[in-house]
Amino acid sequence: GTATRSKVIHNFVIRPSGSDSELKLEKDGMSDTESKVDSGVPEVPVPPDDTPEVLNKALSGLSSRWKNWWVRGILTLAMISFFFFIIYLGPMVLMMIVLCVQIKCFQEIITIGYSVYHSYHLPWFRTLSWYFLLCVNYFFYGETVTDYFFTLVQREEPLRILSKYHRFISFALYLTGFCMFVLSLVKKHYRLQFYMFGWTHVTLLIVVTQSHLIIHNLFEGMIWFIVPISCVICNDIMAYMFGFFFGRTPLIKLSPKKTWEGFIGGFFSTIVFGIMLSYVMAGYRYFVCPVEFNNDSNSFQVDCEPSDLFQLQDYALPSIMESVTGWTTVHLYPFQIHSIALSSFASIVGPFGGFFASGFKRAFKIKDFANTIPGHGGIMDRFDCQYLMATFVNVYIASFIRGPNPSKVIQQLLALRADQQLHIFNSLKAHLTEKGLLPALEEATA
């Protein structure tokens, strides 16, 4: 009847488009808040330009394009110099830097959430966000301490107790925060509070979990930490350089300044850089040996007999390359072959971490996560690709590199009761005897 037709007309709005017409379905009962969330979000205040006054004066005669180029270039060199400095200071300092970067990235993303949803007035929520960060870090770092400092943990009674009940304590801490969140729920703000609860947990997943993987990679050997990070940095720099000077073809709408020329130039540059850097670093034990804790000196040590992965080997060249170069074989470290996989990921898939961050920033109408580094934005703007790279390296090591670790097995055996150790000894002895290995070992010992 008439009421039905009126409802249909209300639901469909006819808009002319040239000679045709479009039908647009509008949702009934959508509140102003929901419409605001779906159609757009409040803009986050744009931070002021914090370029150092010295640079502003020195570059005042240049166009904004070239001024930005010089500012980015100078501060990139400064950051690379700082990166080399912390590598020189050793693995412990690197771990502390990773933790500091993680906290700053978390703060930048959470601050955006507060600004967008105007949630400063919500009870307990700023406190709860940082409390959850503390809980997750306690869990991950506690797991790391138990794995890599096993002997120290077993030697100290308080640490041994904390290690034994670590997961239960971690769960109890998280559960406390969860209950506090439920108790903090306020009428008329339920949806907003759940937005921020989800925002916090996704941030923890993206930032804290993946920064923990960076530390795990570091324990495998500093080369697994330095080469991937350096490849991402190289790709970022070279893609920017190729795009700045030769860029003509847009790559992706999410990031209009990215070009195919920059993407391709960055790829080949990163492959060459990764192979060269791997060749240099693979010759030093300081970089290739796993980072281990010395119980006698109570300090980290990086000393071992390098594995086959870091021993020079001869590789036969394909006939096509042989005809071009005139070489039949090349002298390479096996790690250099793995570096090709790392470099390829850093230059092909790694940029998607940046595209993801670009989409995030566009969604909330911001240019950068923060203004911590002039010309570069916030710390998260520099690490958007690094976290994705860290996850890939960790999965790559677990899938193709890492084998059983005898030292960890022995540590766990020593923590068992005497009767359990004796049972395992007898089982192992019977197994070796059955395989015919034990008599050979006994003769060799005799």
Side-chain angles (χ1 to χ4, degrees), residues 85-213:
F85 177 67
I86 61 174
I87 289 171
Y88 170 77
L89 294 177
M92 191 64 189
V93 176
L94 282 173
M95 292 178 202
M96 296 304 298
I97 292 294
V98 170
L99 177 61
C100 293
V101 167
Q102 173 216 114
I103 293 172
K104 186 65 176 74
C105 289
F106 180 83
Q107 181 264 333
E108 289 177 0
I109 298 177
I110 290 297
T111 300
I112 291 173
Y114 292 145
S115 301
V116 168
Y117 293 112
H118 303 294
S119 55
Y120 290 99
H121 61 281
L122 294 179
W124 299 0
F125 214 91
R126 289 178 65 85
T127 303
L128 281 175
S129 296
W130 290 99
Y131 176 80
F132 282 126
L133 176 67
L134 178 66
C135 291
V136 175
N137 270 311
Y138 175 80
F139 170 74
F140 281 125
Y141 280 93
E143 293 284 310
T144 300
V145 168
T146 302
D147 286 343
Y148 293 98
F149 302 84
F150 186 83
T151 306
L152 175 65
V153 168
Q154 293 300 314
R155 192 173 64 196
E156 303 292 337
E157 184 65 19
L159 291 178
R160 190 179 65 80
I161 294 172
L162 286 174
S163 174
K164 183 177 181 180
Y165 302 106
H166 171 68
R167 295 195 176 186
F168 180 81
I169 294 171
S170 301
F171 178 71
L173 289 172
Y174 177 82
L175 203 58
T176 301
F178 177 81
C179 293
M180 289 172 65
F181 166 74
V182 174
L183 293 174
S184 72
L185 290 173
V186 178
K187 191 176 182 180
K188 296 183 180 180
H189 293 296
Y190 292 151
R191 180 176 297 185
L192 176 58
Q193 288 180 285
F194 278 103
Y195 278 155
M196 293 306 299
F197 185 77
W199 186 291
T200 299
H201 281 67
V202 171
T203 305
L204 291 172
L205 177 65
I206 293 174
V207 175
V208 182
T209 305
Q210 296 188 91
S211 66
H212 177 69
L213 296 181

Side-chain angles (χ1 to χ4, degrees), residues 34-82:
E34 291 171 327
S35 176
K36 192 177 186 180
V37 170
D38 288 341
S39 61
V41 295
E43 292 188 18
V44 178
V46 178
D49 179 21
D50 62 343
T51 304
E53 191 62 29
V54 176
L55 288 179
N56 274 330
K57 288 182 179 179
L59 305 174
S60 58
L62 298 177
S63 65
S64 60
R65 182 170 182 261
W66 279 100
K67 179 183 175 181
N68 183 61
W69 190 88
W70 278 105
V71 170
R72 286 177 65 96
I74 292 169
L75 291 171
T76 295
L77 291 175
M79 287 188 288
I80 291 174
S81 301
F82 177 70

Side-chain angles (χ1 to χ4, degrees), residues 8 18 29 32 74 79 110 116 126 146 157 159 192-193 227 259 262 284 291 296 302 314 319 341 351 380 441:
V8 171
D32 292 338
I74 292 169
M79 287 188 288
I110 290 297
V116 168
R126 289 178 65 85
T146 302
E157 184 65 19
L159 291 178
L192 176 58
Q193 288 180 285
V227 169
T259 63
Y284 295 91
V291 178
D296 298 326
V302 186
D314 290 326
S319 56
M380 190 64 201
L441 292 175

